[in-house]
């Protein structure tokens, strides 16, 4: 038996929207940048590969993000793909403001100079190509300048508000 279709009153309901979309699993990445005042970073579940020729990737920062404007200013950013089990890292970079990098070992991305975190499975170093305003988020498109795989662990997955283990 399939679940009943939502009525029109549920269609515009933001909680219903959140609930339904929480069933779409995503990766969890930390987008980092290096500004004159130091590093900035934010946890992102909306990262995606866009184009092979040219190599483009993208994600959707909220208009309310305080970290994204700092990263945008640098014009370059690094996408850190978190590994399964890096729950504390995801929580650290989902916090608003504060020094998210305190006590964290990092190395600079070869193109962007933005932090590459320890224990991640892959990194993608980008030049900011363009940003398109879309509702209460924007689409950020990055031109890939360098990238690599660092660990053979499973990547972290976010699904229905949790980080399920893959194997
Ligand atoms: C699993 C996960 C996925 C997230 N995905 C996004 C996203 O795609 N876009 C976004 O703007 N914020 C996303 N967030 C929330 C941001 O990480 C958070 O709002 C942000 O870091 C707030 O801090 P800031 O003001 O320093 O940017 C996500 C958080 C988590 C835990």
């Amino acid at each position: 038996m399939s679940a009943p279709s939502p009525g029109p009153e549920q269609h515009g309901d933001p909680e219903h929207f959140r609930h339904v979309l929480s069933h779409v699993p995503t990766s969890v990445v930390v987008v980092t940048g290096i500004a004159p005042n130091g590093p900035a970073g934010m946890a992102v579940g909306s990262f995606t590969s866009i184009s092979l020729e040219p190599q483009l990737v993208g994600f959707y920062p909220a208009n309310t993000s305080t970290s994204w404007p700092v990263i945008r200013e640098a014009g370059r950013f690094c996408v850190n793909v978190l590994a399964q089990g890096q729950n504390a890292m995801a929580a650290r970079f989902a916090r608003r403001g504060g020094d998210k990098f305190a006590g964290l070992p990092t190395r600079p991305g070869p193109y962007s100079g933005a932090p590459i975190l320890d224990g991640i499975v892959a990194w993608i170093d980008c030049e900011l190509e363009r940003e398109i305003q879309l509702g209460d988020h924007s689409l950020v498109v990055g031109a890939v300048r360098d990238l690599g795989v660092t660990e053979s662990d499973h990547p972290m997955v976010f699904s229905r508000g949790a980080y399920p283990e893959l194997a």
Side-chain angles (χ1 to χ4, degrees), residues 42-46 60-62 65-67 93-97 100 163:
M42 63 187 289
V44 164
S46 54
Y60 298 85
S65 168
T66 57
S67 294
F93 283 97
R95 272 198 328 247
R96 179 172 288 275
K100 304 185 189 183
Y163 303 110

Side-chain angles (χ1 to χ4, degrees), residues 69-165:
V70 178
I71 300 168
R72 179 206 283 131
E73 197 66 28
R76 300 172 175 208
F77 58 87
C78 191
V79 176
N80 290 259
V81 183
L82 295 194
Q84 186 166 283
Q86 288 192 298
N87 301 28
M89 195 75 92
R92 176 190 275 252
F93 283 97
R95 272 198 328 247
R96 179 172 288 275
D99 182 4
K100 304 185 189 183
F101 290 86
L104 211 56
T106 66
R107 63 189 169 91
Y111 171 77
S112 66
I116 295 180
L117 308 170
D118 276 5
I120 59 164
V121 295
W123 54 272
I124 304 143
D125 226 6
C126 299
E127 179 176 1
L128 176 58
E129 169 88 11
R130 78 172 67 161
E131 184 173 4
I132 300 163
Q133 195 61 45
L134 296 168
D136 56 13
H137 284 60
S138 61
L139 164 61
V140 170
V141 179
V144 177
R145 298 293 179 232
D146 206 343
L147 71 174
V149 171
T150 41
E151 300 278 343
S152 58
D153 292 359
H154 280 298
M156 177 178 263
V157 171
F158 185 62
S159 175
R160 296 168 64 184
Y163 303 110
E165 299 273 305

